[in-house]
Amino acid sequence: MLRIIAVLFAALELLTAPTRVEAATAPAIERRGATDQLIVDGEPFLILGGELGNSSASSREYMGPHWRILRDMRLNTVLAPIYWDLVEPKEGAFDFSSVDWLIEDARAHDMRLVLLWFGTWKNSMSSYAPSWVKRDTSRFPRTLDAEGRALEIISVFSGGARDADARAFAALMQHLKRIDGERHTVIMVQVENEVGFLPLAREYGPEADAAFARPVPHELDPSGRSWRETFRDEAEERFMAWHYARFVQAVAAAGKAEYDLPMFVNGAQRRPGVVPGDYPSGGPLAHLAKEWQLGAPSVDFIAPDIYFPNFAGIVDGYAAAGVSPIFVPEANRPSDKALTGNALRSIGRHKAIGFSPFAIEDASTGDAARIAGLYAMLRQLAPEILAAQAKDRIAGIGNPVSFEGGAELAPIEVALGPVKFTATTIDPWTPRDAQGPVSHGALLIWLGGEDYLAAGQGVTFTVGPVEGEGRMGLDFVEEGTFVEGEWLAGRRLNGDQTHQGRHVRLPPGEFGIQRLRLYRY
């Protein structure tokens, strides 16, 4: 009898082993068809996120009442800082209690986490370094400006800081693997936060000056020329980008050796017409993608933090620089009127793996309701979105806005399969002074054949054949919802709702999904 039981247990173990192995596979960035996607528990994952304010994750009591609010906003992921000064208050003595309760509370509210390592630098400064690092300026030297004055920024040439940061980060990742390696509450990690040098293009001092005098590393330029000869006016910023990337590489590699989670670095953006040092010089910006990609191979991608109105242009710049995947960890604040269009354009046009406004816990009641509506719609659509991204069958509509705040309201044309869609974000049935087109946006998904999905608000579509010959009409349009992955049709739209078959309309002020079938005539 005991032998029979043993055989049964052995058979059961064989049957369940693949499931356990799959569950234990860590999140990763993988190429799926036409794009790179975030894979969690073996499936593509779309981050519907929000980033906490800088100090919120330092107190469990403070965060307590906010979890329900975040859940009601339909987030599936919270981006939360982890602070070096709290994790390692004394050198070599680690306290991960602030990490543990954060993971426990995220699990309790059915959310994933992206952890943000506030280590040697946070927004260029070194305010989150532990006291034992801050006070030892011999072992952890500060940067110097051109006149030799010390700045409250740890030098990128400090091997002591690099090694201490890497050890702390490795300890964090080892701890995460131990407590979360099977559950995958934590799905990505950001290394440092908005690194870059201020208020000059590069730091000075004996080590910095000596490094700047040496030839450009062969990975960037094998000619053996100097930084100035190779990059001219951009030499100082590219020099800093390379050395920040090498520092971050050491930290990221140490962490990945313990637990190989996806890792990224985020960059504070520049205003038009400014020079390096007016913004954090050498940070992971689109025009410095080469330095970061070659200098920090353990970092999976670089990402923009965007607080300027020209959101679309910034994302376009990262995509043009070959950055993949696209992710916006700080997408302005919840009050941004262009939030909907920016999110849907990024997810559709650039196959972004997610979207995340900053200071999400401070959203007003109205802004929280707007985000909840957007994220509720995207949660329904996530399987269709992720499949369409991989098949290159998705488009995103949103008005580009200039840095000065002027919106481009011209019709937007996109080709998807055999159909050319012309979209306008000015609703034809709403008084012009009663609508804000920058808040409008939509996704288009080609399901195959003649079938499409349109989702969003405030966008109207007309259709025609891509090749321009003949005409197309609407066989049917129906509104509906996805319930557990199955389409549940609502009203069959016709008559006034489609302007007697002339267009597909997503009304402003409400998020909706419509399924349409086209035909030629």
Side-chain angles (χ1 to χ4, degrees):
M1 183 67 177
L2 290 176
R3 184 177 179 182
I4 294 173
I5 292 174
V7 170
L8 289 173
F9 270 113
L12 181 61
E13 190 171 9
L14 286 172
L15 289 172
T16 59
T19 302
R20 291 206 307 270
V21 169
E22 182 179 345
T25 301
I29 302 295
E30 293 182 6
R31 190 74 181 177
R32 294 289 177 98
T35 191
D36 293 313
Q37 293 186 319
L38 173 63
I39 307 301
V40 178
D41 293 335
E43 298 293 334
F45 187 86
L46 181 66
I47 293 175
L48 306 177
E51 181 171 323
L52 300 178
N54 293 160
S55 301
S56 299
S58 65
S59 169
R60 190 173 198 175
E61 290 70 28
Y62 177 85
M63 277 300 300
H66 287 98
W67 286 106
R68 180 185 58 80
I69 297 171
L70 300 180
R71 184 182 61 194
D72 290 346
M73 291 170 69
R74 306 296 289 160
L75 274 70
N76 63 17
T77 306
V78 173
L79 282 68
I82 297 297
Y83 316 98
W84 188 10
D85 58 343
L86 294 185
V87 164
E88 194 180 10
K90 294 183 179 180
E91 185 170 10
F94 293 100
D95 178 0
F96 291 113
S97 58
S98 60
V99 180
D100 296 343
W101 69 253
L102 188 62
I103 291 175
E104 290 171 6
D105 292 355
R107 287 175 181 169
H109 292 85
D110 195 26
M111 290 193 196
R112 307 280 185 166
L113 290 170
V114 173
L115 298 185
L116 319 175
W117 175 241
F118 284 11
T120 298
W121 301 292
K122 188 270 175 190
N123 292 58
S124 303
M125 310 303 285
S126 299
S127 54
Y128 283 93
S131 179
W132 54 271
V133 172
K134 290 179 179 178
R135 294 174 180 273
D136 190 344
T137 56
S138 176
R139 185 179 167 197
F140 310 108
R142 303 302 182 270
T143 58
L144 301 177
D145 64 16
E147 283 72 44
R149 294 172 297 196
L151 304 170
E152 188 57 19
I153 303 172
I154 292 174
S155 172
V156 73
F157 300 99
S158 172
R162 177 199 62 215
D163 295 344
D165 193 332
R167 284 192 295 270
F169 187 66
L172 168 66
M173 297 304 294
Q174 182 184 63
H175 182 74
L176 287 179
K177 184 174 184 179
R178 184 175 64 82
I179 69 167
D180 194 49
E182 297 291 328
R183 299 283 296 275
H184 308 149
T185 307
V186 179
I187 57 176
M188 281 201 306
V189 180
Q190 177 185 289
V191 188
E192 311 299 337
N193 188 85
E194 291 188 1
V195 301
F197 190 63
L198 297 169
L200 304 170
R202 76 168 178 92
E203 68 168 279
Y204 289 79
E207 286 195 63
D209 294 344
F212 191 65
R214 288 193 285 270
V216 173
H218 69 275
E219 295 96 329
L220 293 176
D221 180 35
S223 70
R225 295 177 300 182
S226 70
W227 286 94
R228 190 71 71 187
E229 289 173 319
T230 303
F231 296 114
R232 297 178 175 83
D233 292 343
E234 297 181 343
E236 293 183 329
E237 182 177 27
R238 292 191 180 277
F239 166 77
M240 290 304 296
W242 176 258
H243 287 285
Y244 276 123
R246 296 307 296 159
F247 187 112
V248 170
Q249 165 62 19
V251 176
K256 282 209 168 189
E258 299 296 335
Y259 186 22
D260 190 5
L261 284 181
M263 295 182 185
F264 67 97
V265 288
N266 61 325
Q269 302 303 299
R270 56 179 179 169
R271 294 177 173 84
V274 300
V275 298
D278 290 335
Y279 61 90
S281 177
L285 305 183
H287 69 284
L288 302 172
K290 180 179 179 180
E291 283 78 6
W292 277 92
Q293 289 164 345
L294 293 176
S298 293
V299 172
D300 292 275
F301 59 93
I302 63 175
D305 290 348
I306 308 177
Y307 292 88
F308 299 140
N310 58 324
F311 187 104
I314 292 171
V315 175
D316 291 352
Y318 273 73
V323 174
S324 181
I326 294 292
F327 177 56
V328 187
E330 296 181 34
N332 208 334
R333 294 175 180 268
S335 58
D336 183 10
K337 300 302 182 186
L339 184 149
T340 295
N342 289 336
L344 298 179
R345 185 181 189 274
S346 300
I347 291 168
R349 183 184 179 93
H350 294 300
K351 303 178 180 66
I353 62 172
F355 188 84
S356 171
F358 175 69
I360 191 69
E361 74 276 29
D362 295 334
S364 69
T365 301
D367 292 333
R370 181 163 52 102
I371 293 171
L374 172 65
Y375 280 2
M377 180 188 76
L378 290 173
R379 274 180 175 253
Q380 291 184 51
L381 282 169
E384 299 293 339
I385 289 170
L386 293 162
Q389 286 180 336
K391 295 176 181 177
D392 200 17
R393 290 185 170 186
I394 188 169
I397 306 298
N399 289 120
V401 178
S402 69
F403 181 82
E404 294 74 23
E408 300 176 19
L409 299 181
I412 300 167
E413 291 186 352
V414 295
L416 202 56
V419 182
K420 181 180 74 174
F421 289 86
T422 301
T424 177
T425 57
I426 301 174
D427 185 67
W429 306 126
T430 304
R432 181 66 180 83
D433 59 359
Q435 57 181 303
V438 297
S439 67
H440 299 166
L443 291 175
L444 280 171
I445 296 174
W446 181 28
L447 299 174
E450 300 173 318
D451 291 353
Y452 291 81
L453 292 173
Q457 65 169 6
V459 179
T460 301
F461 297 98
T462 57
V463 299
V466 166
E467 66 273 15
E469 296 183 5
R471 306 191 72 180
M472 278 187 163
L474 305 176
D475 186 346
F476 69 81
V477 180
E478 61 188 16
E479 63 185 6
T481 56
F482 281 94
V483 178
E484 296 183 355
E486 297 294 326
W487 175 249
L488 182 62
R491 292 185 302 167
R492 177 64 66 98
L493 303 179
N494 208 328
D496 293 343
Q497 283 66 47
T498 62
H499 195 25
Q500 328 311 320
R502 295 184 181 95
H503 65 212
V504 175
R505 175 178 177 253
L506 299 167
E510 56 183 282
F511 291 99
I513 307 172
Q514 296 179 18
R515 182 171 179 142
L516 47 142
R517 179 168 296 164
L518 308 178
Y519 74 100
R520 290 176 179 265
Y521 66 94

